[in-house]
Amino acid sequence: MLETVIKRERDLGTPERVSEKTVTLTIDGQEISVAEGTSLMRAAAEAGINIPKLCATDSLEPFGSCRLCLVQIEGRRGYPASCTTPAENGMVVYTETPKLHDLRRGVMELYISDHPLDCLTCPANGDCELQDMAGVVGLRNVRYGYDGANHLKAKTDDSNPYFSYDASKCIVCNRCVRACEETQGTFALTISGKGFDSRVSPGQDQSFLDSECVSCGACVQACPTSTLQEKTVIMMGQAEHSVVTTCAYCGVGCGFKAEMKGQEVVRMVPWKDGQANRGHSCVKGRFAWGYATHKERVTKPMIRKHITDSWKEVSWDEAINYAASEFRRIQSQYGRDAVGGITSSRCTNEETWLVQKLVRAAFGTNNVDTCARVCHSPTGYGLKQTLGESAGTQTFDSVMHTDVVIVMGANPSSGHPVFASRLKRRLRQGARLIVIDPRRIELVSSPHIKADFHLQVRPGTNTALLSSLAHVIATEGLIDEAFVAERCETKAFNEWRDFVSLPENSPEAMEEITGVPAQAVRGAARLFATGGNGSIYYGLGVTEHSQGSTTVMAIANLAMATGNIGREGVGVNPLRGQNNVQGSCDMGSFPHELPGYRHISDNVVRAQFEKDWGVTLQPEPGLRIPNMFEAALGGSFKGLYCQGEDIVQSDPNTQHVAASLAAMECIVVQDLFLNETAKYAHVFLPGSSFLEKDGTFTNAERRISRVRKVMEPKNGKSDWEVTVALSNALGYPMNYQHPREIMEEIARLTPTFSGVSYDKLDRLGSLQWPCNDDAPEGTPIMHIDAFVRGKGKFMITKYVPTDERSTRRFPLLLTTGRILSQYNVGAQTRRTPNVMWHGEDVLELHPQDAEDRGVAEGDWVGIQSRAGETVLRATLTDRVQPGVVYTTFHFPESGANVVTTDASDWATNCPEYKVTAVQVTRVSQPSEWQRQWSRFADIQQKLLRERSRESEAALTGK
C-alpha cells in the first residue's frame, strides 16, 4: 500500500542525463562516476551529498540564478553554481568550506531581508524550501532592515479559484516561469520589470484568471515558497499523510498523491514517479476533485415505481432486493433477453469485470455494452484486423523519440493535456508536425510551435485523405520495402499498393472531396515517409465516423508502409477519451466478446469461463446499446442496469434515447448524481468516486495503474460491492472480499493480464499489457519483432461518403469536441470551479457563415438537423472553416446530442458524432426540446427534493 506520512520527495536538483560515456570525479573526498553531462549538483546528490539550492529542481533545466548552490573546484577561480556546471573527469569538488558557508549565508540574508517573517502563520509552514534552506545555511540574523524599499506590501492575486499568488513572498527564482515553459509549454508567465522591480507576471501584467494560464498547477508545484499556494492548503493547513492513486479523468492516467487530513483531501499532487505523467498534471486532475463531496451528490439508495413518483429513500438491502425482484419479474414475463447492462469507462477494471459477469452469469444473457463502443470501438476493430491487437502500440514516453508526428482528429491540448505538454516539448526540440483536423486546434500554431502542415479536412472525408497520402507514398517510391517484405503479408500489400496507386486516389483527384490542397497532401506525405521516426496519434475525430473502422485501418496501413511500427518514436497511438476506455474494452464489455477480445461463440474460450464461473453462457452475441433502444421501443427490452454512464446526455439522438428509456419498466442507475439518465430510473444506487475505491485503470498506452481508496465511501459501499450484492440477490453468488481477488480472476481468465497482480503493481508502479510469462513485467512497445497476428495485413480502404452530407436544407456540417476545463458530460467538472472558464456550450461559427445569416458574436442561434433542434450562443471564429460549425457537449441543457443523428460506423455501430448536416439561424428563444427538458428537469429535481424533505421528517419524527 503506497500510503505514507507526508514527506517531500527527494529532489536531485537537475534532470538526469543519459550518455554511454561516464566521467569520474571527487566530491568531498568521495570518488563518483556519473553520466557525461551530469551537473555537479546531481552528481553530489546521487552520492548522498545535498548541496543547498532554491532555483534548481530536477524537473527543470538548470538556471543558476539563486547562487545558493556555489561550490569550490580545485584549480579554478571563483565559486561556480553547481547546478549549471557539468561534471568533468578528474575534478576535485568541495561543497562545504568556511568560505562557502559565508557566501551562502550572505545570499540567504539578502533573500530574507525582503521576505515576510510570518513563518508561523504562513500556509507553507513546514513545506517551504526557503525556510528549509535558511536552516541549512545556518542563518541566524538579518543585518539589513525593513525600512528601505521592499515588496512586503505587494498585493495578492486571488483571481484563480484554485491557487493564490502572493507577490510579497516571491524570491524571483524563475521556477514557476520555467515550469510553465518547459513542463507545461504554455508560456503564460514571465518576469516583468528589471532588477529590484522584477516580479512574476501572468501575461501582460494580467491576473492569473485573465491570462493564458491553463491552471495545470506546474507553477504551484515548482514554487519553493508560499508565493503560489493551493487555496485548500491555505484553508485547511498541511496534510498529514498521502496515498498514491490514479486520476479518473482522461485516458492519460496520471499518478497522483492524494494528500490527506484524516478523511479529507487537502490537495492532489502529481506523483513524481507516475509513469504516465512524470510528475505533471492538468487543471482537472490537479484541482477539480471537489465533486466527490459536492452537496448535490446522492448518497442514499432510492426506489420508485414510476418516474413520475417521488423518490423513496430506502436501505441498501431494500434497494438491491427491489431491483433484483424487478429484473426477475421482467425476465419471467418477457424472456431472458429482456434485460441487459451497460458498463462504464469511468469505473475500474474490477467493477467493469463484475458488471459484464453479472449480465452473462446472473441475467443469463450477453446484452452488455459500454460507452467505449460509442467512442473507440473502431480502434479495436481496425487495429485487430491489421496489426492483430486492439490497442495502441507505444508508451507516452515514446513521443520523445519521434521525428515526425501526425495528430489526426484529436486535440491533445484540451483532451489529453499532460500528453500534449510532452508532445510540445518534443516539437520544441525540433520534431516536425502534421495536423489533420477540420478545425485549427492549438497545436497548429502556439508559442514556439507551428505545424508544418495543417490538412484542414472536410468532416467525413478522413478515409479519402489517408488514401491520397498513401497514393503519394506508393507512387513516389517512399514505401519501406524491406520492412514490408519482412513483416507484412505480400498478397494483401500488393493489392493495397495497386489500390492506393489508382489515379482516383491521388491528392489532385481527392482535393474536391477532402477540401485539402493537393500540394499540401503531397508535402505532408513526403515529410512523414522520409522524416525519420514517424508516429501517429489520433482521437475521436477518427473513430466517430461512418467510416471510423476504415480510417483506423488506413492509419495502420500508413504506419506499416513506412516501417513506423515496433520501436520507440513510432507507432499507432489512439488517445482514449476517458480514464478507463481501454480497460472497459479489455474486460469484455461488448456483447460479442468475452474479456481479452475473444468471441463469445468460441467454444473453447467459453468453456473456460463456464468452468470458472460455474454457469452455462449463451453462445450468441447480445444486443448493443442502439439495439437495446430499438428493442425497448419495440416492446421486447424492459430492464437495464447502468453503472456510471449517462447515456441520455452522451449518446446520439437524445430524443430517441429518452423515448427508449421511457418505454422500459425497470432502469437501475448507479452513479454519484441524479444525472440525465437517472431521471428515467426506477432504482438509484449511489455510486462511489475514485477517491473511495480500490482497483485499477488501464490508460491509452495499455498501462494498468492502481486506484487506491483514500477515504471511506460516502454512500457506505464501493461500486464493486453493490454489483456483488445485486448478483447475490439475483441468485448468482459472488463472494469477493476485496478487488484484489477480482484481479486474480481477471488474470486467471485473460491471457494478456495473466501476469498482473496487485503485489506486482505496487512493486513496479504500473504494468503495460500484455503481461504474461513471455513479458512478466509488461510490454511497453508492441509488435517489435513481429505483429501479434504474425504478418501485418494491409486492408483496402475505399472511401464511401457518409449519408450526412450538406444539402440545401442543411448546408453546414456540425462536428463536436471537448474543452480543457470540462470533461465528458460534465457531471464532475460542472460541480467544480472549472465552470469559471467554461460555463456553457457555445457554437463556433465562421465569420463568413455568420454574416450570411445575420449572426453576431454572442447571438442565440438555432441548430437544426434531421434528428432535432437546439439553441446555443454563437461565437465567431476562423478556427473553423466556412461550412463547418463546432460545439462541445458538456452541459445537458445545451442538447448537442439532440442534433446528432443515429448514423454510425459500418463495423461497430460507433456513432457518427463528428458529422451532422445542420442549418443555423438566429433565434430569440430556446428550442422546443430545451423547453421540454427544462420542465422535465424541474419536475425530477422537485421529486428529489421531496425525497429529501420526507427523509428529514422521518429523522426528526415530524
Side-chain angles (χ1 to χ4, degrees), residues 245-290:
T245 189
T246 303
C247 181
Y249 278 116
C250 78
V252 173
C254 295
F256 276 90
K257 289 173 69 176
E259 295 194 352
M260 310 289 296
K261 292 185 83 167
Q263 290 280 301
E264 289 188 277
V265 178
V266 175
R267 63 179 176 180
M268 297 290 286
V269 178
W271 187 30
K272 192 173 181 179
D273 294 330
Q275 293 161 318
N277 58 316
R278 304 295 181 192
H280 191 32
S281 59
C282 80
V283 61
K284 294 189 286 288
R286 182 73 158 87
F287 297 117
W289 39 266

Short mmCIF file of all heavy atoms in Angstrom, two decimals, residues 245-290:
data_model
loop_
_atom_site.label_atom_id
_atom_site.label_comp_id
_atom_site.label_asym_id
_atom_site.label_seq_id
_atom_site.Cartn_x
_atom_site.Cartn_y
_atom_site.Cartn_z
N THR A 245 -2.56 7.31 -5.95
CA THR A 245 -3.69 6.77 -6.70
C THR A 245 -3.60 7.25 -8.15
O THR A 245 -2.58 7.84 -8.56
CB THR A 245 -5.02 7.16 -6.04
OG1 THR A 245 -6.09 6.43 -6.67
CG2 THR A 245 -5.29 8.65 -6.15
N THR A 246 -4.65 7.01 -8.92
CA THR A 246 -4.65 7.34 -10.35
C THR A 246 -5.84 8.22 -10.68
O THR A 246 -6.96 7.98 -10.22
CB THR A 246 -4.71 6.05 -11.20
OG1 THR A 246 -3.59 5.22 -10.86
CG2 THR A 246 -4.64 6.37 -12.69
N CYS A 247 -5.61 9.25 -11.48
CA CYS A 247 -6.65 10.21 -11.85
C CYS A 247 -7.79 9.52 -12.59
O CYS A 247 -7.58 8.59 -13.37
CB CYS A 247 -6.04 11.30 -12.73
SG CYS A 247 -7.21 12.56 -13.25
N ALA A 248 -9.00 10.02 -12.38
CA ALA A 248 -10.19 9.43 -13.00
C ALA A 248 -10.76 10.30 -14.10
O ALA A 248 -11.96 10.25 -14.38
CB ALA A 248 -11.26 9.16 -11.94
N TYR A 249 -9.95 11.11 -14.75
CA TYR A 249 -10.43 11.90 -15.87
C TYR A 249 -10.03 11.25 -17.19
O TYR A 249 -10.53 10.21 -17.54
CB TYR A 249 -9.97 13.36 -15.73
CG TYR A 249 -10.84 14.18 -14.80
CD1 TYR A 249 -10.34 14.72 -13.63
CD2 TYR A 249 -12.18 14.41 -15.09
CE1 TYR A 249 -11.15 15.47 -12.77
CE2 TYR A 249 -12.99 15.16 -14.25
CZ TYR A 249 -12.47 15.69 -13.09
OH TYR A 249 -13.28 16.43 -12.26
N CYS A 250 -9.11 11.82 -17.94
CA CYS A 250 -8.87 11.35 -19.32
C CYS A 250 -8.04 10.07 -19.37
O CYS A 250 -7.63 9.53 -18.35
CB CYS A 250 -8.22 12.46 -20.14
SG CYS A 250 -6.44 12.64 -19.82
N GLY A 251 -7.74 9.62 -20.59
CA GLY A 251 -7.03 8.38 -20.81
C GLY A 251 -5.54 8.45 -20.62
O GLY A 251 -4.83 7.48 -20.91
N VAL A 252 -4.99 9.58 -20.14
CA VAL A 252 -3.56 9.64 -19.85
C VAL A 252 -3.24 8.81 -18.61
O VAL A 252 -2.23 8.12 -18.55
CB VAL A 252 -3.07 11.09 -19.69
CG1 VAL A 252 -1.61 11.12 -19.22
CG2 VAL A 252 -3.21 11.84 -21.00
N GLY A 253 -4.11 8.85 -17.61
CA GLY A 253 -3.92 8.02 -16.42
C GLY A 253 -2.83 8.52 -15.50
O GLY A 253 -1.96 7.76 -15.07
N CYS A 254 -2.88 9.80 -15.15
CA CYS A 254 -1.83 10.41 -14.32
C CYS A 254 -1.83 9.83 -12.91
O CYS A 254 -2.89 9.62 -12.30
CB CYS A 254 -2.04 11.92 -14.24
SG CYS A 254 -1.84 12.77 -15.83
N GLY A 255 -0.61 9.61 -12.38
CA GLY A 255 -0.47 9.22 -10.99
C GLY A 255 -0.48 10.45 -10.10
O GLY A 255 0.14 11.47 -10.41
N PHE A 256 -1.18 10.37 -8.97
CA PHE A 256 -1.27 11.47 -8.02
C PHE A 256 -1.04 10.96 -6.60
O PHE A 256 -1.33 9.80 -6.29
CB PHE A 256 -2.66 12.12 -8.07
CG PHE A 256 -2.83 13.15 -9.15
CD1 PHE A 256 -3.28 12.78 -10.41
CD2 PHE A 256 -2.52 14.48 -8.92
CE1 PHE A 256 -3.43 13.72 -11.42
CE2 PHE A 256 -2.67 15.43 -9.92
CZ PHE A 256 -3.12 15.05 -11.17
N LYS A 257 -0.53 11.86 -5.79
CA LYS A 257 -0.51 11.63 -4.35
C LYS A 257 -1.66 12.44 -3.75
O LYS A 257 -1.65 13.66 -3.81
CB LYS A 257 0.82 12.07 -3.76
CG LYS A 257 1.99 11.17 -4.11
CD LYS A 257 3.32 11.75 -3.65
CE LYS A 257 3.44 11.75 -2.16
NZ LYS A 257 4.77 12.22 -1.72
N ALA A 258 -2.64 11.73 -3.24
CA ALA A 258 -3.73 12.41 -2.54
C ALA A 258 -3.23 12.73 -1.14
O ALA A 258 -3.01 11.83 -0.33
CB ALA A 258 -4.96 11.52 -2.49
N GLU A 259 -3.03 14.02 -0.88
CA GLU A 259 -2.54 14.44 0.44
C GLU A 259 -3.75 14.71 1.33
O GLU A 259 -4.64 15.49 0.98
CB GLU A 259 -1.64 15.66 0.31
CG GLU A 259 -0.36 15.36 -0.47
CD GLU A 259 0.70 16.43 -0.32
OE1 GLU A 259 0.41 17.50 0.27
OE2 GLU A 259 1.83 16.20 -0.78
N MET A 260 -3.76 14.09 2.49
CA MET A 260 -4.96 13.98 3.30
C MET A 260 -4.76 14.51 4.72
O MET A 260 -3.65 14.49 5.26
CB MET A 260 -5.37 12.50 3.41
CG MET A 260 -5.46 11.74 2.11
SD MET A 260 -6.86 12.26 1.13
CE MET A 260 -8.22 11.75 2.20
N LYS A 261 -5.89 14.94 5.30
CA LYS A 261 -6.01 15.13 6.74
C LYS A 261 -7.18 14.26 7.18
O LYS A 261 -8.34 14.59 6.92
CB LYS A 261 -6.28 16.59 7.10
CG LYS A 261 -5.12 17.52 6.83
CD LYS A 261 -5.41 18.94 7.31
CE LYS A 261 -5.13 19.07 8.79
NZ LYS A 261 -5.10 20.50 9.22
N GLY A 262 -6.88 13.12 7.75
CA GLY A 262 -7.94 12.18 8.08
C GLY A 262 -8.64 11.70 6.83
O GLY A 262 -8.03 11.14 5.93
N GLN A 263 -9.95 11.97 6.75
CA GLN A 263 -10.76 11.54 5.60
C GLN A 263 -10.96 12.66 4.58
O GLN A 263 -11.73 12.52 3.64
CB GLN A 263 -12.13 11.07 6.08
CG GLN A 263 -12.10 9.77 6.86
CD GLN A 263 -12.01 8.56 5.95
OE1 GLN A 263 -12.87 8.33 5.10
NE2 GLN A 263 -10.97 7.77 6.12
N GLU A 264 -10.26 13.77 4.75
CA GLU A 264 -10.43 14.90 3.85
C GLU A 264 -9.22 15.09 2.95
O GLU A 264 -8.07 15.04 3.43
CB GLU A 264 -10.67 16.19 4.65
CG GLU A 264 -12.02 16.27 5.33
CD GLU A 264 -12.25 17.65 5.92
OE1 GLU A 264 -11.76 17.89 7.04
OE2 GLU A 264 -12.91 18.48 5.27
N VAL A 265 -9.47 15.31 1.67
CA VAL A 265 -8.39 15.60 0.74
C VAL A 265 -7.98 17.06 0.91
O VAL A 265 -8.81 17.96 0.85
CB VAL A 265 -8.83 15.35 -0.72
CG1 VAL A 265 -7.69 15.70 -1.68
CG2 VAL A 265 -9.25 13.90 -0.92
N VAL A 266 -6.69 17.28 1.10
CA VAL A 266 -6.16 18.64 1.16
C VAL A 266 -5.77 19.10 -0.23
O VAL A 266 -6.09 20.21 -0.65
CB VAL A 266 -4.96 18.73 2.12
CG1 VAL A 266 -4.33 20.12 2.08
CG2 VAL A 266 -5.39 18.37 3.54
N ARG A 267 -5.06 18.25 -0.94
CA ARG A 267 -4.69 18.57 -2.31
C ARG A 267 -4.28 17.31 -3.04
O ARG A 267 -3.94 16.29 -2.42
CB ARG A 267 -3.55 19.60 -2.36
CG ARG A 267 -2.23 19.13 -1.74
CD ARG A 267 -1.17 20.21 -1.85
NE ARG A 267 0.07 19.81 -1.17
CZ ARG A 267 1.16 20.56 -1.10
NH1 ARG A 267 1.16 21.76 -1.68
NH2 ARG A 267 2.24 20.14 -0.47
N MET A 268 -4.31 17.37 -4.36
CA MET A 268 -3.83 16.29 -5.22
C MET A 268 -2.53 16.76 -5.85
O MET A 268 -2.51 17.77 -6.57
CB MET A 268 -4.86 15.94 -6.29
CG MET A 268 -6.18 15.43 -5.75
SD MET A 268 -6.09 13.78 -5.02
CE MET A 268 -5.94 12.76 -6.49
N VAL A 269 -1.45 16.05 -5.60
CA VAL A 269 -0.13 16.43 -6.09
C VAL A 269 0.32 15.40 -7.13
O VAL A 269 0.31 14.20 -6.84
CB VAL A 269 0.88 16.50 -4.94
CG1 VAL A 269 2.26 16.86 -5.46
CG2 VAL A 269 0.42 17.51 -3.89
N PRO A 270 0.69 15.83 -8.32
CA PRO A 270 1.14 14.87 -9.32
C PRO A 270 2.34 14.06 -8.81
O PRO A 270 3.30 14.62 -8.30
CB PRO A 270 1.52 15.73 -10.53
CG PRO A 270 1.65 17.13 -10.01
CD PRO A 270 0.75 17.22 -8.83
N TRP A 271 2.22 12.75 -8.95
CA TRP A 271 3.23 11.83 -8.42
C TRP A 271 4.47 11.88 -9.30
O TRP A 271 4.39 11.65 -10.51
CB TRP A 271 2.65 10.42 -8.37
CG TRP A 271 3.50 9.41 -7.70
CD1 TRP A 271 4.40 9.62 -6.70
CD2 TRP A 271 3.54 8.00 -7.99
NE1 TRP A 271 4.98 8.43 -6.33
CE2 TRP A 271 4.48 7.42 -7.10
CE3 TRP A 271 2.85 7.19 -8.89
CZ2 TRP A 271 4.76 6.05 -7.11
CZ3 TRP A 271 3.12 5.83 -8.91
CH2 TRP A 271 4.07 5.26 -8.02
N LYS A 272 5.58 12.19 -8.69
CA LYS A 272 6.84 12.32 -9.42
C LYS A 272 7.20 11.02 -10.14
O LYS A 272 7.78 11.04 -11.24
CB LYS A 272 7.95 12.71 -8.44
CG LYS A 272 9.23 13.17 -9.09
CD LYS A 272 10.17 13.70 -8.03
CE LYS A 272 11.46 14.20 -8.62
NZ LYS A 272 12.37 14.74 -7.58
N ASP A 273 6.86 9.89 -9.56
CA ASP A 273 7.18 8.59 -10.16
C ASP A 273 6.05 8.05 -11.03
O ASP A 273 6.10 6.89 -11.45
CB ASP A 273 7.51 7.57 -9.06
CG ASP A 273 8.79 7.93 -8.32
OD1 ASP A 273 9.66 8.55 -8.94
OD2 ASP A 273 8.91 7.60 -7.13
N GLY A 274 5.03 8.86 -11.28
CA GLY A 274 3.94 8.42 -12.15
C GLY A 274 4.45 8.18 -13.56
O GLY A 274 4.96 9.10 -14.21
N GLN A 275 4.34 6.96 -14.05
CA GLN A 275 4.98 6.61 -15.32
C GLN A 275 4.20 7.11 -16.53
O GLN A 275 4.73 7.13 -17.64
CB GLN A 275 5.17 5.09 -15.37
CG GLN A 275 6.18 4.62 -14.35
CD GLN A 275 6.07 3.14 -14.03
OE1 GLN A 275 4.99 2.58 -13.87
NE2 GLN A 275 7.21 2.49 -13.88
N ALA A 276 2.98 7.55 -16.33
CA ALA A 276 2.22 8.13 -17.44
C ALA A 276 2.40 9.64 -17.50
O ALA A 276 2.39 10.23 -18.59
CB ALA A 276 0.73 7.80 -17.30
N ASN A 277 2.56 10.29 -16.35
CA ASN A 277 2.59 11.76 -16.32
C ASN A 277 3.90 12.37 -15.89
O ASN A 277 4.12 13.57 -16.06
CB ASN A 277 1.47 12.30 -15.43
CG ASN A 277 1.53 11.79 -14.00
OD1 ASN A 277 1.76 10.61 -13.76
ND2 ASN A 277 1.31 12.68 -13.04
N ARG A 278 4.80 11.57 -15.32
CA ARG A 278 6.13 12.06 -14.95
C ARG A 278 6.06 13.33 -14.10
O ARG A 278 6.81 14.29 -14.31
CB ARG A 278 6.99 12.31 -16.19
CG ARG A 278 7.15 11.11 -17.11
CD ARG A 278 7.92 10.00 -16.44
NE ARG A 278 8.10 8.84 -17.32
CZ ARG A 278 8.54 7.66 -16.89
NH1 ARG A 278 8.82 7.48 -15.62
NH2 ARG A 278 8.68 6.64 -17.72
N GLY A 279 5.14 13.37 -13.16
CA GLY A 279 5.07 14.50 -12.23
C GLY A 279 4.32 15.71 -12.73
O GLY A 279 4.34 16.75 -12.07
N HIS A 280 3.66 15.62 -13.87
CA HIS A 280 2.90 16.75 -14.38
C HIS A 280 1.40 16.48 -14.21
O HIS A 280 0.98 15.38 -13.85
CB HIS A 280 3.24 16.99 -15.85
CG HIS A 280 2.71 18.29 -16.39
ND1 HIS A 280 2.56 19.42 -15.62
CD2 HIS A 280 2.26 18.63 -17.64
CE1 HIS A 280 2.08 20.39 -16.35
NE2 HIS A 280 1.88 19.95 -17.58
N SER A 281 0.58 17.50 -14.48
CA SER A 281 -0.86 17.36 -14.28
C SER A 281 -1.59 18.40 -15.13
O SER A 281 -0.97 19.23 -15.77
CB SER A 281 -1.22 17.58 -12.80
OG SER A 281 -0.81 18.87 -12.37
N CYS A 282 -2.92 18.34 -15.10
CA CYS A 282 -3.74 19.37 -15.74
C CYS A 282 -4.74 19.89 -14.72
O CYS A 282 -4.84 19.39 -13.60
CB CYS A 282 -4.46 18.81 -16.98
SG CYS A 282 -5.96 17.87 -16.62
N VAL A 283 -5.51 20.88 -15.12
CA VAL A 283 -6.43 21.55 -14.20
C VAL A 283 -7.46 20.57 -13.63
O VAL A 283 -7.86 20.71 -12.46
CB VAL A 283 -7.13 22.73 -14.90
CG1 VAL A 283 -7.96 22.29 -16.10
CG2 VAL A 283 -8.02 23.51 -13.92
N LYS A 284 -7.86 19.57 -14.41
CA LYS A 284 -8.89 18.66 -13.92
C LYS A 284 -8.35 17.73 -12.83
O LYS A 284 -8.88 17.66 -11.73
CB LYS A 284 -9.48 17.88 -15.09
CG LYS A 284 -10.25 18.75 -16.08
CD LYS A 284 -11.00 17.93 -17.11
CE LYS A 284 -10.10 17.32 -18.15
NZ LYS A 284 -9.55 18.31 -19.11
N GLY A 285 -7.29 17.01 -13.16
CA GLY A 285 -6.75 16.08 -12.17
C GLY A 285 -6.16 16.77 -10.97
O GLY A 285 -6.28 16.28 -9.83
N ARG A 286 -5.53 17.90 -11.17
CA ARG A 286 -4.83 18.60 -10.09
C ARG A 286 -5.80 19.26 -9.12
O ARG A 286 -5.60 19.25 -7.91
CB ARG A 286 -3.91 19.67 -10.70
CG ARG A 286 -3.07 20.46 -9.71
CD ARG A 286 -1.94 19.62 -9.17
NE ARG A 286 -0.84 20.41 -8.64
CZ ARG A 286 -0.77 20.87 -7.40
NH1 ARG A 286 -1.75 20.66 -6.55
NH2 ARG A 286 0.29 21.56 -7.01
N PHE A 287 -6.88 19.84 -9.68
CA PHE A 287 -7.73 20.69 -8.84
C PHE A 287 -9.21 20.31 -8.82
O PHE A 287 -9.90 20.61 -7.84
CB PHE A 287 -7.61 22.15 -9.30
CG PHE A 287 -6.24 22.73 -9.16
CD1 PHE A 287 -5.51 23.14 -10.27
CD2 PHE A 287 -5.66 22.87 -7.91
CE1 PHE A 287 -4.24 23.69 -10.14
CE2 PHE A 287 -4.38 23.42 -7.77
CZ PHE A 287 -3.67 23.82 -8.89
N ALA A 288 -9.73 19.70 -9.88
CA ALA A 288 -11.19 19.53 -9.99
C ALA A 288 -11.67 18.21 -9.41
O ALA A 288 -12.33 17.41 -10.07
CB ALA A 288 -11.61 19.66 -11.46
N TRP A 289 -11.36 17.99 -8.14
CA TRP A 289 -11.79 16.77 -7.46
C TRP A 289 -12.87 17.04 -6.41
O TRP A 289 -13.36 16.12 -5.76
CB TRP A 289 -10.61 16.09 -6.79
CG TRP A 289 -9.63 17.04 -6.15
CD1 TRP A 289 -8.49 17.54 -6.72
CD2 TRP A 289 -9.69 17.61 -4.83
NE1 TRP A 289 -7.84 18.40 -5.84
CE2 TRP A 289 -8.55 18.46 -4.68
CE3 TRP A 289 -10.59 17.50 -3.77
CZ2 TRP A 289 -8.31 19.18 -3.51
CZ3 TRP A 289 -10.34 18.21 -2.61
CH2 TRP A 289 -9.22 19.04 -2.49
N GLY A 290 -13.29 18.29 -6.29
CA GLY A 290 -14.27 18.65 -5.26
C GLY A 290 -15.65 18.07 -5.47
O GLY A 290 -16.47 18.03 -4.55
#
